[in-house]
Amino acid sequence: MEKVRDLVREGKRVAKEDPRRVVHSFKVGLVLSLVSSFYYYQPLYDSFGVNAMWAVMTVVVVFEFSVGATLGKGLNRVAATLFAGALGIGAHHLASLSGSTGEPILLAIFVFIQAALSTFVRFFPRVKARYDYSLLIFILTFALISVSGFREEQVLVLTHKRISTVIIGGLSCVLISIFVCPVWAGQDLHSLLASNVEKLSFFLLEFGDKYCETVKDGDTKEVDKRKNDFDNYKSVLNSKSNEESLANFAKWEPGHGQFRFRHPWKQYLSIGGLIRQCAYRIDALNSYLNADIQVSIDIRKKLEEPFRRMSFESGKAMKEMSVSLTKMIKPSSSDLHVRNAQSACKSLTSLLHSGILKEVESQELISLLTAISLLIDIINLTENILESLHELASAARFKDKTESPIFAEKPNSKSIVCGWATKGQDDHVVTIVNDDCCNGNTSEKGNRSNKVLIHEKHEDCVHEKHEDDDAHVHSSCDSYGHTSLRVIVECR
């Protein structure tokens, strides 16, 4: 009974991890029930006979979890069956010309040559990646057709029945896979990359505080959640095989949703490789948090401001890239965070050149400089990931980011100013498109478009005052890195 309960718990866990697995199980059962009718329904059995079992076998080996995997296997199996069937008939015909004595010898030679060559070709990396299953079916079908044809008089009828049942089984799998709760490998690959980038961002956003020992314990549940998020990057280290298989399956899929037929899936693998390189640096950097040799608290405090900014800005850039991937919009704001991280890196370098580490012991110095070097590598890789993401956004035709309008209160009136924030090189510009300030003279000021310059400073607080014509503007930023602004307009 205990084993049964363990199996039930395991089944619930698997189903909870991905409910699509339950749906897929029902889909496989549905297709097998449909193709089994070739055996149960007498008119169909009379047409295909025992060969109807090939339809059942095709469903069992072809139906996969995603549409791309099913479509790839189905097309490979049908193509290999057709080609091998044609060659098998040809081999049987040539062997039959040599008489009853030479026919089995020639058939054995043909099977040997075909099997040896096909097996050798399966070792080619490109062939193995996409056509390994096709070659396997080719070997099997050729051997079955040519060998069984030696005892079967009606070889063409046998071949026709087997090919027909294989096509029926494969087509059933493909249709059910596409039209009944489809699972798209391309969508899974896209979501996987967005999730991996987000996992790296969680680490970088927290690392600066942890390294400088400025994190407060707070609520126990919140601490546990932050610790889990902090360590989530480790799953990125072993994601290569999953990404490659998903990209291979995605190439077989038809266009769906926002993914066109010739979507640049190869670019996803390039981005995934850069993400893993970054994850390796992060894994190495994480080891310095609890290392035996640590730099003194005083030195950390002196380096805290630029060090935290380097980690925080890199994390914000990663977070923005994750959001842009999820929403399939161009990563416009990530460039600013990368530049801020590079600026903090220059500040830290200047601080190190000032001689602040003269009294630090050699072992502590090596530990500190290694951590800084790894963080600089992470910033450079963040920039490379962003460049690759820009290339993907251009090739995949990501949408431009639509900015939300900003509503500004006027303390001396009951009206609202509406505008949009647009990003400049180092600033945000709010263009006021509806200003009824100074209603007494609408002809001169009611239709005017004012521009408010808002400089971004540090972390989550921005303050800037700018006067344009007769409007006095004070602004503050509620959310660092986003266009969530409060604008107060005072009329003179």
Side-chain angles (χ1 to χ4, degrees):
M1 287 299 294
E2 186 65 28
K3 290 184 178 180
V4 173
R5 281 196 286 272
D6 290 341
L7 286 175
V8 171
R9 281 195 294 267
E10 182 69 11
K12 289 181 178 179
R13 184 190 65 80
V14 171
K16 189 175 180 180
E17 280 183 358
D18 193 347
R20 299 177 302 175
R21 295 170 179 170
V22 179
V23 178
H24 175 71
S25 302
F26 282 105
K27 286 159 65 176
V28 174
L30 174 62
V31 179
L32 275 175
S33 299
L34 290 175
V35 298
S36 297
S37 61
F38 282 84
Y39 239 72
Y40 304 143
Y41 191 51
Q42 191 63 38
L44 292 175
Y45 184 80
D46 292 338
S47 301
F48 295 99
V50 181
N51 290 297
M53 189 56 66
W54 284 86
V56 177
M57 292 173 60
T58 300
V59 171
V60 173
V61 298
V62 165
F63 209 148
E64 295 287 344
F65 183 67
S66 66
V67 174
T70 303
L71 194 57
K73 265 196 168 183
L75 292 176
N76 277 329
R77 185 176 179 88
V78 170
T81 302
L82 288 172
F83 190 45
L87 283 182
I89 293 172
H92 175 74
H93 178 70
L94 288 176
S96 63
L97 297 178
S98 62
S100 58
T101 304
E103 183 177 0
I105 298 174
L106 281 179
L107 284 175
I109 293 174
F110 289 150
V111 169
F112 170 78
I113 294 174
Q114 178 268 343
L117 287 177
S118 300
T119 302
F120 179 73
V121 171
R122 289 181 63 196
F123 290 108
F124 295 2
R126 291 186 179 180
V127 174
K128 192 173 186 63
R130 297 195 68 181
Y131 306 109
D132 184 66
Y133 178 72
S134 179
L135 285 171
L136 188 65
I137 297 300
F138 176 75
I139 296 170
L140 174 65
T141 305
F142 180 86
L144 288 175
I145 295 294
S146 58
V147 173
S148 60
F150 179 72
R151 300 291 182 182
E152 184 71 35
E153 295 181 0
Q154 297 179 331
V155 180
L156 287 176
V157 176
L158 172 67
T159 305
H160 173 263
K161 289 181 178 180
R162 289 191 178 179
I163 291 176
S164 299
T165 51
V166 167
I167 292 175
I168 291 171
L171 190 61
S172 301
C173 294
V174 170
L175 291 177
I176 295 296
S177 179
I178 292 177
F179 295 107
V180 179
C181 301
V183 177
W184 302 103
Q187 179 64 60
D188 285 351
L189 175 61
H190 187 86
S191 300
L192 177 62
L193 251 63
S195 175
N196 286 347
V197 175
E198 187 178 31
K199 289 172 183 177
L200 301 189
S201 73
F202 286 141
F203 177 92
L204 293 171
L205 288 171
E206 296 286 338
F207 175 76
D209 291 338
K210 284 183 176 291
Y211 189 81
C212 298
E213 296 184 352
T214 59
V215 175
K216 299 179 181 178
D217 292 338
D219 183 59
T220 305
K221 292 183 179 179
E222 182 65 22
V223 171
D224 291 340
K225 181 180 181 302
R226 291 172 68 179
K227 186 178 185 303
N228 291 334
D229 291 341
F230 191 75
D231 294 334
N232 274 344
Y233 75 89
K234 294 179 180 179
S235 63
V236 181
L237 300 172
N238 301 315
S239 62
K240 181 179 179 180
S241 60
N242 192 18
E243 290 173 7
E244 289 180 345
S245 63
L246 287 175
N248 184 35
F249 297 151
K251 292 175 183 178
W252 292 100
E253 293 178 344
H256 57 279
Q258 295 178 290
F259 303 97
R260 296 175 290 112
F261 175 63
R262 299 193 65 83
H263 197 73
W265 299 117
K266 187 179 291 187
Q267 186 65 22
Y268 282 79
L269 295 180
S270 300
I271 296 175
L274 291 172
I275 292 172
R276 279 191 301 279
Q277 290 183 40
C278 191
Y280 294 142
R281 266 72 168 187
I282 284 177
D283 192 44
L285 191 61
N286 188 33
S287 64
Y288 285 91
L289 285 176
N290 301 313
D292 295 334
I293 301 173
Q294 296 285 352
V295 181
S296 64
I297 300 296
D298 294 336
I299 296 297
R300 293 191 189 189
K301 290 295 182 184
K302 293 178 182 178
L303 303 175
E304 176 181 350
E305 196 275 333
F307 197 90
R308 287 181 65 245
R309 281 184 61 204
M310 288 169 62
S311 178
F312 182 80
E313 292 292 345
S314 299
K316 290 294 291 183
M318 289 284 190
K319 184 68 175 178
E320 291 295 331
M321 284 189 276
S322 173
V323 172
S324 68
L325 264 174
T326 302
K327 297 182 178 180
M328 295 191 74
I329 57 177
K330 295 181 179 179
S332 57
S333 56
S334 298
D335 298 273
L336 179 63
H337 294 299
V338 170
R339 287 199 299 270
N340 289 341
Q342 292 171 341
S343 175
C345 180
K346 292 178 181 178
S347 300
L348 182 61
T349 303
S350 301
L351 197 60
L352 294 176
H353 288 163
S354 65
I356 195 174
L357 302 178
K358 287 183 178 179
E359 299 180 359
V360 179
E361 295 183 5
S362 58
Q363 289 184 328
E364 295 181 357
L365 182 62
I366 292 173
S367 176
L368 175 63
L369 293 180
T370 304
I372 293 174
S373 176
L374 286 169
L375 192 54
I376 292 173
D377 279 349
I378 290 171
I379 293 174
N380 294 332
L381 283 169
T382 302
E383 185 179 16
N384 294 339
I385 293 172
L386 181 58
E387 290 175 358
S388 296
L389 186 55
H390 278 303
E391 294 176 6
L392 174 63
S394 176
R397 301 175 187 175
F398 282 10
K399 297 178 182 178
D400 292 320
K401 185 176 182 181
T402 54
E403 303 290 350
S404 303
I406 298 170
F407 295 94
E409 302 175 0
K410 295 184 182 180
N412 298 327
S413 66
K414 296 181 179 180
S415 59
I416 296 294
V417 171
C418 177
W420 278 266
T422 56
K423 185 173 73 66
Q425 183 69 18
D426 294 307
D427 311 303
H428 277 83
V429 178
V430 179
T431 303
I432 300 175
V433 297
N434 182 16
D435 182 6
D436 58 352
C437 181
C438 305
N439 291 322
N441 191 1
T442 56
S443 61
E444 295 181 7
K445 300 171 184 178
N447 299 321
R448 185 182 59 228
S449 176
N450 296 319
K451 287 189 176 180
V452 181
L453 187 63
I454 300 174
H455 293 279
E456 288 203 289
K457 295 297 184 183
H458 176 60
E459 292 187 11
D460 51 4
C461 186
V462 179
H463 294 287
E464 178 67 21
K465 294 182 179 179
H466 179 74
E467 296 183 7
D468 187 5
D469 297 333
D470 294 329
H472 175 71
V473 180
H474 173 74
S475 61
S476 64
C477 181
D478 292 330
S479 177
Y480 185 67
H482 301 273
T483 55
S484 174
L485 307 174
R486 279 198 310 268
V487 181
I488 305 299
V489 180
E490 299 175 0
C491 298
R492 292 183 176 180

